[in-house]
């Protein structure tokens, strides 16, 4: 068989989109969110930043319906622009998804160490002053191995895993927020902003692209829709994913700020869990939070693994990199070579340990902003009147929505690269981005040479 297995339903696409979006940032880096914006600043940052993504979500829905291709942004920009632009866009979007995989693999070790302190032992080296523990690496590698096997053996296995972990996370989220909030007080909210209100909200909005990336992953699995799936379902899954993502993030920020004096907890490991434990005065609620975090981590890891492997597979199929990456397993009908490549690369990046967590957030935000902007630009170009082959004739209002989405994407990009804007890239983020671009240039050259020979 030279086609991917067609087994996904509407529920699967929702859990892929939302599950890829929401990981364990709400547990691991909550202190960073609140120190950036304060209680109200963080809440508004996620609410406004998430709402601004709705036009981009609409654009992706239109593009997926017109071109249900696993290549996603690669296919959209290739139809509208040049091959180098398509490659550059695809390579940046692979970064946006792939970079989450080692993030989650490292985070699972940290969470396990919080539950079982004995695991915070056997330090083997340090990166940027942060210890890397052998048990943490072993746990992360074990989870990575499980997800690699699931995705290698079939998309139905991966989708079932994604469904259970996504709905399990939502159920546990409702339980601990409802129970914990009953012990809180509005007096815990101040300070509402950590800087001037505008700056506080802006600093949080800068990281929203990273933590809201995932809704567009729906398109990466478009070729795997079941035969009776209706194309309109792609847009529905994307929009529901964004709305549920906004609701989740704003609720968790509000809950943490409500249940305990959050400013006194800055610097605490897993600030979210500590806040609820102090409010409830019991360990049981921490166990519920950690269970939700584990399920959330699994689904986010799996969703980003699916998206990254499909994009890499598509680049191989388009001969943009080594075409062996574009192979489909004859028995399982999965992009097996791409799955193995993503798995091995994730294992290598895990060796950097905890030091990668916050810088990854910054670089991932820029990567997805670039991809979103390119997709919106492609939609505008392909939706021109009379451009019938794309089946995307857009009305004046629809073109305005796509233009607004493009402006949002560009604004999110500029917020991170203009030195005058608070929270701009540091030398470490520029270094990480530069290394990724250089690696992409090398792989593209090798892919081109292979095509010629």
């Amino acid at each position: 068989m030279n086609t991917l297995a067609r087994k996904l339903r509407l529920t699967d696409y929702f859990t892929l989109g939302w599950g890829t979006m929401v990981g364990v940032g709400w547990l691991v880096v909550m202190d960073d969110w609140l120190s950036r914006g304060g209680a109200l600043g963080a809440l508004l940052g996620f609410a406004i930043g998430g709402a601004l993504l709705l036009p981009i979500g609409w654009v992706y829905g239109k593009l997926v319906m017109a071109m249900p291709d696993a290549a996603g942004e690669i296919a959209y920009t290739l139809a509208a622009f040049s091959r180098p632009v398509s490659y550059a866009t695809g390579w940046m979007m692979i970064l946006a998804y792939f970079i989450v995989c080692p993030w989650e693999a490292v985070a699972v070790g940290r969470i396990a160490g919080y539950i079982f302190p004995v695991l915070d032992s056997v330090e083997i080296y340090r990166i940027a002053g942060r210890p890397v523990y052998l048990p943490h690496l072993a746990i992360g590698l074990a989870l990575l191995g499980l997800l690699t096997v699931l995705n290698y053996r079939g998309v139905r296995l991966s989708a079932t895993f994604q469904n259970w972990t996504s709905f399990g996370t939502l159920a546990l989220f409702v339980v601990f927020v409802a129970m914990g909030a009953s012990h809180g007080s509005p007096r815990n909210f101040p300070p509402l902003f950590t800087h001037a209100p505008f700056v506080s909200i802006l600093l949080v909005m800068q990281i929203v692209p990273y933590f809201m990336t995932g809704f567009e992953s729906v398109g990466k699995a478009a070729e795997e829709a079941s035969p009776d799936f209706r194309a309109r379902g792609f847009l529905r899954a994307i929009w529901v994913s964004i709305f549920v993502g906004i609701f989740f993030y704003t609720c968790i920020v509000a809950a943490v700020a409500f249940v305990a004096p959050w400013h006194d907890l800055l610097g605490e490991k897993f600030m979210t869990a500590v806040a609820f434990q102090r409010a409830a005065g019991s360990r049981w609620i921490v166990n519920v939070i950690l269970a939700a975090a584990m399920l959330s981590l699994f689904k986010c890891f799996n969703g980003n693994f699916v998206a990254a492997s499909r994009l890499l597979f598509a680049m191989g199929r388009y001969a943009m990199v080594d075409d062996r990456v574009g192979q489909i397993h004859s028995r399982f009908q999965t992009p097996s070579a791409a799955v193995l490549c993503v798995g091995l690369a994730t294992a290598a990046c895990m060796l950097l340990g905890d030091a990668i967590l916050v810088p990854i957030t910054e670089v991932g935000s820029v990567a997805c902003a670039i991809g979103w902007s390119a997709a919106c630009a492609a939609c505008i170009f392909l939706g021109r009147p009379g451009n019938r082959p794309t089946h995307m004739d857009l009305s004046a209002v629809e073109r305005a929505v796509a233009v607004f989405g493009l402006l949002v994407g560009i604004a999110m990009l500029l917020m991170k690269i203009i030195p005058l804007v608070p929270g701009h890239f540091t030398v470490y983020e520029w270094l990480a981005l530069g290394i990724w671009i250089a690696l992409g240039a090398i792989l593209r050259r090798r892919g081109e040479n292979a095509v010629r020979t």
Side-chain angles (χ1 to χ4, degrees):
M1 299 290 289
N2 60 356
T3 59
L4 296 171
R6 300 186 60 190
K7 298 184 178 181
L8 300 184
R9 303 178 296 266
L10 180 60
T11 300
D12 302 321
Y13 282 112
F14 161 70
T15 58
L16 175 61
W18 180 77
T20 302
M21 181 188 305
V22 178
V24 292
W26 55 271
L27 175 69
V28 177
V29 290
M30 176 62 74
D31 58 337
D32 178 64
W33 297 357
L34 290 170
S35 63
R36 283 172 179 266
L40 186 57
L43 191 154
L44 291 176
F46 273 102
I48 297 171
L52 289 174
L53 299 183
L54 289 171
I56 298 176
W58 178 87
V59 165
Y60 271 94
K62 294 290 288 187
L63 288 169
V64 176
M65 286 189 287
M67 288 175 279
D69 192 315
E73 293 84 359
I74 299 169
Y76 313 149
T77 51
L78 188 60
F81 310 120
S82 64
R83 189 175 176 87
V85 170
S86 176
Y87 178 86
T89 302
W91 188 245
M92 293 308 296
M93 285 307 294
I94 287 179
L95 174 62
Y97 296 119
F98 166 72
I99 209 168
V100 179
C101 296
W103 200 104
E104 302 293 349
V106 168
V108 71
R110 291 191 68 194
I111 297 173
Y114 186 80
I115 301 172
F116 305 105
V118 69
L119 297 176
D120 291 339
S121 59
V122 193
E123 179 181 328
I124 49 181
Y125 54 86
R126 285 177 174 258
I127 299 288
R130 292 177 176 264
V132 176
Y133 297 114
L134 181 60
H136 290 196
L137 279 178
I139 292 169
L141 288 171
L143 176 58
L144 172 61
L146 170 64
L147 296 184
T148 302
V149 170
L150 285 177
N151 282 280
Y152 187 91
R153 292 184 60 85
V155 72
R156 188 64 257 161
L157 281 174
S158 179
T160 300
F161 178 86
Q162 191 76 1
N163 291 344
W164 278 101
T165 51
S166 293
F167 289 114
T169 299
L170 285 171
L172 292 175
F173 166 77
V174 171
V175 170
F176 76 76
V177 168
M179 296 300 294
S182 64
H183 299 279
S185 168
R187 293 191 300 271
N188 294 326
F189 270 104
L192 299 181
F193 301 98
T194 51
H195 310 276
F198 176 77
V199 173
S200 296
I201 296 171
L202 179 65
L203 287 173
V204 176
M205 287 179 62
Q206 288 176 341
I207 60 171
V208 167
Y210 175 78
F211 289 104
M212 293 287 286
T213 299
F215 61 87
E216 73 292 328
S217 64
V218 167
K220 313 309 182 291
E223 293 182 34
E224 296 164 273
S226 63
D228 59 345
F229 183 84
R230 295 186 178 182
R232 190 74 182 174
F234 292 126
L235 178 59
R236 189 175 298 119
I238 289 171
W239 268 43
V240 173
S241 297
I242 295 175
F243 276 116
V244 176
I246 295 171
F247 175 79
F248 183 94
Y249 281 126
T250 53
C251 281
I252 195 66
V253 169
V256 171
F258 182 75
V259 299
W262 65 267
H263 195 265
D264 297 337
L265 302 179
L266 293 179
E268 288 279 358
K269 188 177 183 180
F270 300 140
M271 176 181 174
T272 301
V274 173
F276 276 88
Q277 182 175 13
R278 291 193 180 183
S282 175
R283 177 74 183 181
W284 72 266
I285 198 166
V286 174
N287 294 333
V288 175
I289 291 171
L290 294 177
M294 280 295 190
L295 290 178
S296 190
L297 185 151
F298 294 161
K299 68 175 179 50
C300 186
F301 195 166
N302 184 65
N304 281 281
F305 195 104
V306 169
S309 60
R310 267 52 177 184
L311 270 182
L312 184 60
F313 156 76
M315 295 188 88
R317 189 171 60 180
Y318 278 81
M320 292 181 171
V321 295
D322 193 318
D323 60 5
R324 289 176 294 183
V325 180
Q327 295 177 352
I328 296 177
H329 196 283
S330 58
R331 176 184 173 190
F332 301 124
Q333 291 180 265
T334 58
S336 52
V339 166
L340 292 176
C341 286
V342 172
L344 291 172
T346 299
C349 290
M350 281 179 58
L351 300 177
L352 296 175
D354 290 358
I356 69 174
L357 294 184
V358 173
I360 275 182
T361 301
E362 308 287 357
V363 177
S365 293
V366 165
C368 59
I370 291 173
W372 293 343
S373 300
C376 290
C379 182
I380 295 167
F381 183 88
L382 295 173
R384 296 172 301 168
N387 196 4
R388 296 301 302 167
T390 63
H391 307 290
M392 277 190 61
D393 285 344
L394 302 180
S395 67
V397 173
E398 290 174 328
R399 282 196 296 274
V401 172
V403 170
F404 184 75
L406 174 60
L407 294 176
V408 169
I410 293 174
M412 289 181 168
L413 172 62
L414 295 179
M415 282 193 300
K416 297 307 300 179
I417 65 175
I418 295 179
L420 297 178
V421 178
H424 61 81
F425 263 21
T426 67
V427 64
Y428 298 106
E429 283 85 26
W430 281 116
L431 178 62
L433 186 60
I435 291 173
W436 184 257
I437 292 172
L439 178 61
I442 293 171
L443 291 178
R444 181 169 184 263
R445 179 64 60 87
R446 293 186 62 179
E448 289 177 343
N449 291 339
V451 171
R452 294 193 189 101
T453 57

